[in-house]
């Protein structure tokens, strides 16, 4: 049921984090605000393809 996803920075598009999500209950794209070490600031990170 759970699917591995990568979280990528919306500003520089680098994939910085990975996590899992339940595909049946959360069908929309996952987005969260996290720290990007390349941008050196907190930016939105959204779900990207593996």
């Amino acid at each position: 049921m759970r699917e591995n996803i990568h979280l990528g920075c919306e500003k520089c598009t680098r994939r910085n984090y990975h996590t899992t999500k339940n595909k049946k209950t959360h069908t929309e794209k996952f987005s969260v605000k996290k720290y990007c070490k390349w941008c050196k600031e907190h930016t939105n990170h959204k779900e990207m393809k593996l």
Side-chain angles (χ1 to χ4, degrees), residues 2 5 7 9 11 16-18 28-29 37 47:
R2 298 195 70 79
I5 59 169
L7 298 175
C9 177
K11 193 172 180 183
N16 303 324
Y17 299 95
H18 65 275
E28 67 278 352
K29 293 246 181 192
K37 64 181 180 180
E47 177 182 342

Side-chain angles (χ1 to χ4, degrees), residues 17-49:
Y17 299 95
H18 65 275
T19 186
T20 61
K21 78 169 188 177
N22 190 335
K23 199 173 181 181
K24 282 193 175 183
T25 58
H26 299 289
T27 56
E28 67 278 352
K29 293 246 181 192
F30 184 70
S31 180
V32 67
K33 197 166 193 176
K34 289 195 153 289
Y35 183 77
C36 177
K37 64 181 180 180
W38 287 281
C39 297
K40 295 184 174 63
E41 61 185 69
H42 284 84
T43 59
N44 281 333
H45 283 68
K46 66 179 180 178
E47 177 182 342
M48 297 185 137
K49 291 182 180 179

Side-chain angles (χ1 to χ4, degrees), residues 3-18:
E3 180 181 73
N4 291 327
I5 59 169
H6 282 246
L7 298 175
C9 177
E10 289 185 345
K11 193 172 180 183
C12 67
T13 66
R14 291 191 184 213
R15 294 182 178 115
N16 303 324
Y17 299 95
H18 65 275

